[in-house]
Amino acid sequence: MTAYEHILSERRGDVLVLTLDRPDRLNAAPPAMFEEIAAAVASLDGARAVLIAGAGRAFCSGADVGGGALGSDDPGAATYQALTGSYNPAMAAIADLGVPVVSAVRGPAAGIGCSLALAADFCVASESAYFLQAFVNIGLVPDGGASWMLPRLIGRARATEMMMLGERVPAAKALDWGMVHKVVADDALDAEAFALAERLAAMPTVALGLMRRAITAAYASDYAGAMEAEAVNQRAARGSADSMEGGIAFLTKRKPVFTGT
């Protein structure tokens, strides 16, 4: 286990488990927490999937502004520096990962915590989970990529509802909206989310990494551009050892054993 101040980082087999570890603050995130997340995902050391969870009864209640982390004579400048120097680089690092990411959400995923939870390829929520963009209630705007992410994930009308009304979206509604992968009982969350991450870690990692990057890139591409990107990615995937293993397993009618290469 790598030692950090605000998160726990642990390898469990082929899965890197990152746990936001400020349960007394509902895992409210100072800039340093996101710097630690960026550092942790920069050194996967062979991990083939990442699971992000929160300690205690919350995933993340948002940025830690109450503790003075962003206090300054010029709060606007301090906030800008925290976003561009700490929060945004971590979100970009997660987006650029070559391995799949799962988030396990119980309790609140608010503000930057909502963005972090939904940045995962698969968000598994417990029945107690809710998602919140409460910025409007304090005269601020969504951040962490939420204004880009939410309209693409749930559509403009629902994204506008979340951001402008600042109301909780409980787990059941989030599932209905297509915001999360699945909803499970609170006491089943950890096992369900880890099982999914473990399943993904046993799959062809090169292909999965190319898929997740292509999905993001497609939002800024036209149809022809997406097809060209697919051709480039297919060339890369076809050269992987896992592709060879998958082809041989198919021909010999056995289950493939992928190694992530």
Side-chain angles (χ1 to χ4, degrees), residues 3-230:
Y4 292 102
E5 182 180 357
H6 302 296
I7 68 171
L8 301 176
S9 175
E10 178 186 12
R11 274 289 295 275
R12 294 174 58 186
D14 287 327
V15 179
L16 175 65
V17 181
L18 303 180
T19 305
L20 313 184
D21 191 34
R22 301 183 75 210
D24 57 319
R25 299 273 300 166
L26 297 181
N27 300 317
M33 176 185 282
F34 272 61
E35 292 168 12
E36 291 177 359
I37 292 171
V41 299
S43 55
L44 289 175
D45 193 27
R48 295 170 58 192
V50 174
L51 172 62
I52 304 175
R57 59 190 179 92
F59 178 74
C60 175
S61 58
D64 183 5
V65 295
L70 303 182
S72 169
D73 291 337
D74 187 344
T79 300
Y80 178 85
Q81 179 57 43
L83 285 168
T84 59
S86 302
Y87 296 108
N88 292 355
M91 298 299 294
I94 291 169
D96 196 46
L97 277 176
V99 302
V101 180
V102 176
S103 61
V105 179
R106 63 165 48 85
I112 196 73
C114 180
S115 295
L116 179 62
L118 299 181
D121 304 297
F122 295 89
C123 179
V124 181
S126 77
E127 292 171 338
S128 71
Y130 64 87
F131 301 84
L132 178 63
Q133 293 286 313
F135 296 96
V136 69
N137 299 326
I138 52 174
L140 294 176
V141 299
D143 56 29
S147 60
W148 182 92
M149 184 188 308
L150 285 171
R152 290 164 171 79
L153 188 61
I154 58 177
R156 177 175 176 172
R158 287 168 172 167
T160 301
E161 178 181 335
M162 277 194 75
M163 293 189 287
M164 290 193 177
L165 297 184
E167 297 173 347
R168 295 183 182 187
V169 177
K173 180 182 281 190
L175 182 64
D176 181 60
W177 282 5
M179 188 183 300
V180 302
H181 170 59
K182 67 189 305 185
V183 176
V184 301
D186 279 34
D187 60 3
L189 176 66
D190 296 335
E192 289 267 3
F194 182 76
L196 176 57
E198 196 171 40
R199 174 183 173 184
L200 290 164
M203 296 173 73
T205 308
V206 172
L208 293 182
L210 291 168
M211 285 180 201
R212 73 189 307 270
R213 288 169 177 164
I215 290 168
T216 299
Y219 284 128
S221 176
D222 58 18
Y223 185 44
M227 288 192 291
E228 174 61 23
E230 288 171 348

